[in-house]
Amino acid sequence: MVQLKPRFQSFEDYLAYDDGSDKLYELFNGELIEVPPEAGLNVEIAILLLIQFSLKVGPRRVRGHGLELEVRGEPKNRYPDLTVIREEHIELLKKRNTIRLMMPPPMLVLEVVSPGTIQRDRDYVAKRHQYEDVGIPEYWIANPQTEEILILELVSGSYQERVTFRDGDRLSSSQLGELSITAADVFAQV
Protein backbone atom coordinates (compact mmCIF):
# COMPACT_ATOMS: atom_id res chain seq x y z
CA MET A 1 0.00 0.00 0.00
CA VAL A 2 1.37 3.41 -0.99
CA GLN A 3 1.16 6.04 1.72
CA LEU A 4 0.56 9.57 0.45
CA LYS A 5 2.56 12.44 1.86
CA PRO A 6 0.36 15.01 3.54
CA ARG A 7 -0.04 18.45 1.94
CA PHE A 8 -0.86 21.50 4.00
CA GLN A 9 -2.88 24.51 2.87
CA SER A 10 -1.83 26.68 5.82
CA PHE A 11 0.68 26.89 8.63
CA GLU A 12 -2.19 26.21 11.06
CA ASP A 13 -2.91 22.90 9.26
CA TYR A 14 0.76 22.00 9.61
CA LEU A 15 0.75 22.88 13.33
CA ALA A 16 -2.22 20.56 13.88
CA TYR A 17 -0.41 17.63 12.22
CA ASP A 18 1.27 14.98 14.35
CA ASP A 19 2.92 11.98 12.73
CA GLY A 20 3.68 10.44 16.12
CA SER A 21 7.44 10.89 15.75
CA ASP A 22 9.97 13.35 17.16
CA LYS A 23 11.12 14.34 13.67
CA LEU A 24 11.56 18.01 12.79
CA TYR A 25 10.09 19.24 9.51
CA GLU A 26 10.29 22.39 7.46
CA LEU A 27 7.10 23.26 5.61
CA PHE A 28 8.08 24.00 2.01
CA ASN A 29 5.38 24.69 -0.60
CA GLY A 30 2.83 22.81 1.51
CA GLU A 31 5.00 19.70 1.87
CA LEU A 32 7.02 18.41 4.80
CA ILE A 33 10.79 18.25 4.37
CA GLU A 34 12.50 16.35 7.17
CA VAL A 35 15.28 18.32 8.83
CA PRO A 36 18.39 16.12 9.01
CA PRO A 37 20.26 15.74 12.31
CA GLU A 38 22.87 18.39 13.02
CA ALA A 39 26.57 17.60 12.68
CA GLY A 40 28.25 16.82 16.00
CA LEU A 41 30.59 19.83 15.70
CA ASN A 42 27.64 22.18 15.13
CA VAL A 43 25.91 20.77 18.20
CA GLU A 44 29.06 21.22 20.32
CA ILE A 45 29.41 24.86 19.27
CA ALA A 46 25.72 25.58 19.84
CA ILE A 47 25.77 23.94 23.30
CA LEU A 48 28.88 25.86 24.34
CA LEU A 49 27.18 29.13 23.38
CA LEU A 50 23.88 28.00 24.91
CA ILE A 51 25.68 27.62 28.25
CA GLN A 52 27.22 31.09 27.92
CA PHE A 53 23.90 32.74 27.08
CA SER A 54 22.18 30.78 29.89
CA LEU A 55 24.67 32.20 32.37
CA LYS A 56 23.77 35.67 31.09
CA VAL A 57 19.94 35.48 30.91
CA GLY A 58 19.01 32.24 32.69
CA PRO A 59 18.42 28.76 31.26
CA ARG A 60 14.67 29.23 30.69
CA ARG A 61 15.35 31.93 28.08
CA VAL A 62 17.78 30.00 25.88
CA ARG A 63 16.58 27.28 23.51
CA GLY A 64 18.51 24.87 21.35
CA HIS A 65 17.79 23.44 17.92
CA GLY A 66 14.27 22.20 18.82
CA LEU A 67 12.71 25.69 18.90
CA GLU A 68 10.64 26.29 15.78
CA LEU A 69 10.35 29.78 14.33
CA GLU A 70 7.55 30.66 11.91
CA VAL A 71 8.87 32.85 9.07
CA ARG A 72 7.56 34.26 5.81
CA GLY A 73 8.73 32.83 2.48
CA GLU A 74 9.80 29.25 1.87
CA PRO A 75 10.21 27.29 3.97
CA LYS A 76 7.56 28.61 6.38
CA ASN A 77 9.57 27.65 9.47
CA ARG A 78 13.15 27.42 10.68
CA TYR A 79 14.92 25.72 13.58
CA PRO A 80 17.78 28.00 14.68
CA ASP A 81 20.72 26.26 16.34
CA LEU A 82 20.27 28.56 19.33
CA THR A 83 17.61 31.13 20.24
CA VAL A 84 17.47 33.63 23.10
CA ILE A 85 13.80 34.19 23.81
CA ARG A 86 12.03 36.99 25.67
CA GLU A 87 10.62 36.51 29.15
CA GLU A 88 7.05 36.55 27.74
CA HIS A 89 7.88 33.63 25.41
CA ILE A 90 8.42 31.24 28.32
CA GLU A 91 4.68 30.93 29.01
CA LEU A 92 3.71 31.12 25.32
CA LEU A 93 5.99 28.18 24.43
CA LYS A 94 4.78 25.75 27.12
CA LYS A 95 2.33 23.94 24.80
CA ARG A 96 4.40 24.03 21.62
CA ASN A 97 7.98 25.24 21.20
CA THR A 98 7.04 27.44 18.21
CA ILE A 99 7.37 31.22 17.98
CA ARG A 100 4.57 32.38 15.67
CA LEU A 101 4.59 35.49 13.48
CA MET A 102 1.98 37.14 15.72
CA MET A 103 4.30 36.84 18.74
CA PRO A 104 7.16 39.21 19.48
CA PRO A 105 10.37 37.99 17.80
CA PRO A 106 13.11 36.38 19.88
CA MET A 107 15.98 38.62 20.98
CA LEU A 108 18.70 36.69 19.19
CA VAL A 109 19.18 33.66 16.94
CA LEU A 110 22.38 31.83 16.10
CA GLU A 111 23.16 29.49 13.24
CA VAL A 112 26.28 27.31 12.99
CA VAL A 113 27.31 26.99 9.33
CA SER A 114 27.74 23.49 7.93
CA PRO A 115 30.32 22.82 5.19
CA GLY A 116 29.19 23.36 1.60
CA THR A 117 28.00 26.19 -0.62
CA ILE A 118 24.30 25.39 -0.26
CA GLN A 119 24.53 25.33 3.55
CA ARG A 120 26.60 28.54 3.64
CA ASP A 121 24.16 30.36 1.35
CA ARG A 122 21.23 29.13 3.43
CA ASP A 123 22.69 30.67 6.62
CA TYR A 124 24.24 33.82 5.13
CA VAL A 125 21.49 34.68 2.62
CA ALA A 126 18.14 32.87 2.97
CA LYS A 127 17.91 32.73 6.77
CA ARG A 128 19.35 36.23 7.04
CA HIS A 129 16.45 37.60 4.97
CA GLN A 130 13.83 35.59 6.84
CA TYR A 131 15.15 36.53 10.30
CA GLU A 132 15.46 40.17 9.26
CA ASP A 133 11.88 40.09 7.93
CA VAL A 134 10.43 38.89 11.26
CA GLY A 135 12.39 41.56 13.16
CA ILE A 136 14.90 39.55 15.19
CA PRO A 137 17.21 42.22 16.66
CA GLU A 138 20.42 40.19 16.47
CA TYR A 139 21.55 37.30 14.24
CA TRP A 140 24.79 35.43 14.97
CA ILE A 141 26.46 33.25 12.32
CA ALA A 142 29.18 30.95 13.70
CA ASN A 143 31.35 29.58 10.91
CA PRO A 144 33.67 26.71 11.95
CA GLN A 145 35.34 26.70 8.52
CA THR A 146 36.63 30.30 8.93
CA GLU A 147 36.57 30.21 12.76
CA GLU A 148 34.61 33.48 12.81
CA ILE A 149 31.35 34.64 14.36
CA LEU A 150 29.53 37.33 12.39
CA ILE A 151 27.05 39.46 14.33
CA LEU A 152 24.24 41.12 12.37
CA GLU A 153 22.19 43.80 14.09
CA LEU A 154 18.76 45.00 12.98
CA VAL A 155 18.95 48.73 12.23
CA SER A 156 15.90 50.47 10.74
CA GLY A 157 14.51 47.13 9.56
CA SER A 158 17.71 45.86 7.88
CA TYR A 159 20.59 43.78 9.16
CA GLN A 160 23.89 45.61 9.38
CA GLU A 161 27.13 43.74 9.98
CA ARG A 162 28.11 44.92 13.45
CA VAL A 163 31.27 42.93 14.09
CA THR A 164 33.10 39.74 13.20
CA PHE A 165 34.71 37.99 16.16
CA ARG A 166 37.80 35.84 15.63
CA ASP A 167 40.75 34.51 17.63
CA GLY A 168 40.95 36.11 21.10
CA ASP A 169 38.06 38.55 20.59
CA ARG A 170 35.69 38.36 23.55
CA LEU A 171 32.13 37.76 22.36
CA SER A 172 29.52 40.39 23.10
CA SER A 173 25.92 41.03 22.17
CA SER A 174 24.26 44.41 21.74
CA GLN A 175 21.17 42.76 23.31
CA LEU A 176 22.84 40.98 26.22
CA GLY A 177 26.29 42.45 26.83
CA GLU A 178 29.67 40.73 27.05
CA LEU A 179 30.06 36.97 27.39
CA SER A 180 32.92 35.30 29.22
CA ILE A 181 34.22 33.46 26.16
CA THR A 182 36.32 34.26 23.10
CA ALA A 183 35.94 33.19 19.50
CA ALA A 184 39.04 31.01 19.95
CA ASP A 185 37.28 29.23 22.86
CA VAL A 186 34.26 28.52 20.67
CA PHE A 187 36.34 26.95 17.93
CA ALA A 188 38.99 25.31 20.14
CA GLN A 189 37.84 21.79 19.17
CA VAL A 190 37.52 22.47 15.39
Side-chain angles (χ1 to χ4, degrees):
M1 181 168 129
V2 176
Q3 189 172 8
L4 298 175
K5 287 184 174 183
R7 282 202 53 82
F8 301 93
Q9 299 302 314
S10 70
F11 197 72
E12 284 70 26
D13 291 343
Y14 156 76
L15 290 175
Y17 175 74
D18 182 0
D19 68 357
S21 75
D22 289 334
K23 295 177 182 176
L24 301 178
Y25 297 103
E26 288 182 340
L27 181 62
F28 193 86
N29 288 327
E31 294 185 11
L32 297 179
I33 307 297
E34 187 176 348
V35 176
E38 286 290 319
L41 176 62
N42 290 25
V43 172
E44 289 176 32
I45 290 169
I47 288 174
L48 179 65
L49 290 167
L50 182 140
I51 291 167
Q52 292 299 312
F53 283 116
S54 293
L55 292 171
K56 200 77 172 155
V57 299
R60 296 180 72 211
R61 291 200 37 220
V62 185
R63 304 288 167 103
H65 183 67
L67 180 125
E68 181 178 36
L69 183 61
E70 181 183 11
V71 293
R72 285 181 274 276
E74 296 296 340
K76 300 279 184 216
N77 57 328
R78 295 290 189 175
Y79 295 91
D81 292 319
L82 182 147
T83 305
V84 177
I85 62 174
R86 299 172 188 276
E87 189 70 35
E88 65 227 61
H89 287 130
I90 294 169
E91 195 60 38
L92 295 169
L93 298 176
K94 287 205 179 206
K95 279 188 156 182
R96 184 176 174 122
N97 202 27
T98 301
I99 296 179
R100 301 290 312 274
L101 289 171
M102 75 276 281
M103 296 177 183
M107 295 180 68
L108 180 152
V109 293
L110 173 133
E111 296 287 358
V112 181
V113 181
S114 296
T117 303
I118 292 171
Q119 292 80 357
R120 184 181 47 76
D121 289 349
R122 183 181 61 221
D123 290 335
Y124 281 94
V125 180
K127 290 181 183 179
R128 176 181 178 153
H129 291 303
Q130 287 181 306
Y131 295 161
E132 178 183 81
D133 178 63
V134 297
I136 299 170
E138 201 167 287
Y139 176 28
W140 289 39
I141 303 171
N143 190 332
Q145 290 75 45
T146 61
E147 297 188 11
E148 298 175 333
I149 299 174
L150 172 64
I151 311 298
L152 301 165
E153 190 173 306
L154 197 62
V155 178
S156 301
S158 296
Y159 277 138
Q160 305 297 317
E161 294 186 12
R162 184 173 67 87
V163 66
T164 299
F165 294 111
R166 52 180 72 84
D167 303 323
D169 297 338
R170 185 169 302 282
L171 304 182
S172 67
S173 161
S174 64
Q175 297 294 304
L176 308 171
E178 190 170 278
L179 303 179
S180 60
I181 192 169
T182 67
D185 296 330
V186 171
F187 300 113
Q189 302 304 314
V190 174

